[in-house]
Amino acid sequence: MASIQYYNLSQKRGDLIVIRRVTFRLYPKPAALKNLLYARRLHKDLYNAGIANRKTQYERFGRSVNYLEQQNSLPAFKQVWPEYKELGSHTLQATLKRVDLAYQSFLKGLRGKPKFKSIRHYSGWTYPDIAGWKVHSTGDNGYLELRDLKVSIQMRGKARTWGTPTTCTIVYRNGKWYASITVECTPVRETGDGVIGVDFGVYHAIAMSDGTIIDSPKFLAKTQSKIRKASKQKRRKRAPNFKKKVKGSKRWKKATRKVGKLHTKVANQRQDWVHKVASQIVSSNSMVATEKLNLKGMTRKAKKGSKRKRQKTGLNRSMLDVGIGKLTDAINYKLQEAGGFLVKVPTLTVKPSQTCPNCHHQKKKDLSERIHKCSQCGYECDRDVAASLVMVSYALGTSAFNRGSEISTSVPQETGGWKQIWEKKRQKPTVQCNNGG
Ligand SMILES: [Zn+2]
């Protein structure tokens, strides 16, 4: 069984198997398109039924329904709604899993209460294993066969590294269809033997220990303002109102498409930027030291009535625009592919932004102080570059810091993922096995 090992220190490159996601654009013929739309509608109805079930059970009887209970009721559900028999049973389970994930993040306080979804806001469905679909491709264009819908669809796109397909998610977004396929593969990537510290900040998006400073890309802000304009245009058109039985106007639909297109553009631009920067860093460095970020705290909304609100929203904006979390993820997995590793510097014990990289003298800086100037040894450089230099010295162990637990390892969490669900299911039949022991 393959698994992703984060912060992998082993230098054995031969048996590294990772999971990568490749997205292809789908070009369905009219007949196939009809089936896709039909299946999407059925999955949407199942999703809403899952929500309704949990809601009524909780509100009327005060009991909470879990995923397994819903999954076990699927056969009975199919007796009542025979059209679901045509769809792959694992895809139905995956849709119920979406309900479960929505509730789990709601219960953790990460998002609002799950709501019923309209077809307009329903993206698609997932084939959680290799059953029911087949991809005829070597990672460069090809065909996707969906057995439950009896369709074969042309797809376009290219994978950097191709491998064994494991799951497939069908996505409908802004009038276009996509297949997001995960593959198990052994990636190949070149890297150098450099060591670098990378500091993510608010003033500069990225400051590196070799003195490189990358600011948050301007084009994102540009597209962002275009989005604001287009949304304003959209608000002035007649939107649909189902309670008053008002249909959306043609102009509203057109404006909606425009906004959607711009959102896609921003997402693409950001992803492009993230991957370019990450591969640039990894191409010459096999050891990267970064700060363990508390993104949640950094991007949290300011309290109501707070004077810092303005300041904080600006801060949040630039943080989110850059997509620091995505960038660290990208650096991390590219390092794995190249056989390098990531050192996460514990901010609280090392204090990179308060420490002198030359003599390790610690002194708290004000947010407005852009230049590091040591009062002890007189060392002077950019504030963020100084922080990244401290991270490097920590990572190399050349510093005065205590290197007790320098490399953090990931602890598996209860995420409600497929693997964990299946492990739980496997544990179930224990009664019969007991007489042997
Ligand atoms: Zn100093």
Side-chain angles (χ1 to χ4, degrees):
M1 187 65 71
S3 66
I4 309 179
Q5 288 272 311
Y6 283 105
Y7 321 129
N8 190 359
L9 276 174
S10 78
Q11 294 295 312
K12 280 186 288 173
R13 300 284 299 121
D15 52 3
L16 178 77
I17 294 173
V18 294
I19 293 168
R20 287 281 164 275
R21 186 174 285 282
V22 188
T23 305
F24 295 93
R25 169 99 187 262
L26 296 179
Y27 293 87
K29 293 255 163 60
L33 180 65
K34 214 177 130 196
N35 286 356
L36 286 178
L37 288 168
Y38 179 66
R40 174 166 160 253
R41 195 166 277 277
L42 286 183
H43 279 286
K44 176 220 74 169
D45 288 337
L46 177 65
Y47 180 91
N48 286 341
I51 300 251
N53 172 236
R54 290 200 183 214
K55 237 178 136 149
T56 44
Q57 285 292 320
Y58 185 75
E59 282 165 9
R60 286 207 197 140
F61 310 109
R63 58 184 290 272
S64 47
V65 180
N66 65 11
Y67 168 74
L68 281 178
E69 190 181 334
Q70 290 202 325
Q71 186 195 299
N72 292 338
S73 64
L74 266 176
F77 181 83
K78 281 195 255 188
Q79 290 300 319
V80 185
W81 309 99
E83 59 266 41
Y84 282 91
K85 283 179 189 166
E86 291 170 33
L87 299 181
S89 53
H90 287 186
T91 67
L92 300 179
Q93 292 175 10
T95 297
L96 288 180
K97 194 74 217 140
R98 288 186 184 194
V99 176
D100 187 49
L101 287 174
Y103 267 94
Q104 282 195 16
S105 41
F106 162 60
L107 293 173
K108 280 181 200 153
L110 298 173
R111 52 178 271 186
K113 204 171 179 183
K115 284 185 199 158
F116 295 123
K117 282 194 179 176
S118 75
I119 189 71
R120 237 187 311 123
H121 296 110
Y122 202 77
S123 69
W125 65 95
T126 300
Y127 297 84
D129 48 38
I130 54 168
W133 63 287
K134 196 169 183 204
V135 51
H136 302 276
S137 172
T138 49
D140 191 0
N141 303 334
Y143 279 86
L144 177 70
E145 189 185 333
L146 303 177
R147 297 213 178 98
D148 56 345
L149 305 180
K150 299 179 189 69
V151 292
S152 182
I153 306 164
Q154 194 198 349
M155 55 181 211
R156 289 182 65 82
K158 197 171 179 207
R160 196 190 133 85
T161 34
W162 189 246
T164 321
T166 47
T167 75
C168 172
T169 299
I170 306 292
V171 180
Y172 178 74
R173 195 188 298 135
N174 295 327
K176 292 181 181 116
W177 290 90
Y178 302 91
S180 184
I181 296 168
T182 55
V183 291
E184 276 178 3
C185 56
T186 310
V188 185
R189 188 177 285 276
E190 295 291 314
T191 184
D193 52 8
V195 180
I196 202 164
V198 182
D199 180 65
F200 303 109
V202 177
Y203 193 77
H204 299 302
I206 303 163
M208 294 189 245
S209 55
D210 62 353
T212 317
I213 285 174
I214 301 173
D215 283 314
S216 104
K218 288 281 178 295
F219 50 76
L220 286 175
K222 235 182 201 169
T223 326
Q224 212 76 274
S225 82
K226 272 188 193 165
I227 289 181
R228 263 198 299 280
K229 243 183 191 167
S231 326
K232 197 170 182 183
Q233 292 295 323
K234 183 184 155 187
R235 280 199 298 279
R236 288 176 174 161
K237 311 283 188 279
R238 193 185 73 205
N241 188 327
F242 295 108
K243 275 179 195 158
K244 290 180 187 163
K245 296 202 169 151
V246 179
K247 274 188 181 175
S249 68
K250 267 196 176 156
R251 288 174 184 202
W252 179 85
K253 275 182 193 159
K254 205 174 157 189
T256 309
R257 269 200 295 278
K258 196 176 171 189
V259 174
K261 237 181 181 173
L262 285 170
H263 275 294
T264 315
K265 190 176 177 184
V266 169
N268 288 343
Q269 282 179 325
R270 180 173 298 138
Q271 198 188 0
D272 180 58
W273 183 82
V274 159
H275 284 276
K276 269 183 189 156
V277 172
S279 37
Q280 191 198 327
I281 292 171
V282 175
S283 67
S284 45
N285 301 288
S286 53
M287 187 177 184
V288 179
T290 70
E291 216 171 327
K292 213 173 192 175
L293 283 176
N294 174 16
L295 273 179
K296 238 177 162 180
M298 280 171 105
T299 58
R300 196 163 34 208
K301 273 186 193 161
K303 275 182 199 146
K304 239 185 182 172
S306 155
K307 272 181 194 167
R308 293 188 56 216
K309 187 151 191 189
R310 250 248 140 88
Q311 196 186 340
K312 190 105 190 187
T313 35
L315 195 149
N316 291 346
R317 181 79 293 147
S318 61
M319 285 297 304
L320 294 172
D321 272 354
V322 175
I324 299 300
K326 282 194 178 151
L327 189 58
T328 32
D329 285 350
I331 292 174
N332 189 13
Y333 90 72
K334 283 184 206 297
L335 277 171
Q336 281 173 45
E337 288 179 356
F341 62 94
L342 188 74
V343 179
K344 289 217 169 179
V345 179
T347 315
L348 288 178
T349 48
V350 177
K351 298 188 178 70
S353 63
Q354 300 174 14
T355 309
C356 172
N358 193 32
C359 69
H360 309 302
H361 174 248
Q362 293 193 329
K363 186 179 173 254
K364 205 163 182 180
K365 284 194 199 78
D366 202 67
L367 249 181
S368 59
E369 265 177 74
R370 298 307 320 161
I371 304 285
H372 165 84
K373 191 164 191 275
C374 185
S375 57
Q376 207 85 345
C377 69
Y379 185 81
E380 206 176 316
C381 75
D382 182 273
R383 172 210 175 103
D384 296 336
V385 172
S388 59
L389 280 167
V390 175
M391 291 182 208
V392 168
S393 64
Y394 173 83
L396 290 174
T398 51
S399 71
F401 307 117
N402 176 24
R403 297 190 79 221
S405 54
E406 69 271 35
I407 291 135
S408 54
T409 41
S410 60
V411 181
Q413 285 176 328
E414 183 74 41
T415 54
W418 277 100
K419 234 185 204 166
Q420 287 171 348
I421 285 286
W422 278 333
E423 269 157 21
K424 260 188 203 161
K425 267 164 77 183
R426 250 178 258 127
Q427 286 164 7
K428 240 170 51 185
T430 48
V431 190
Q432 289 158 338
C433 311
N434 277 348
N435 33 6

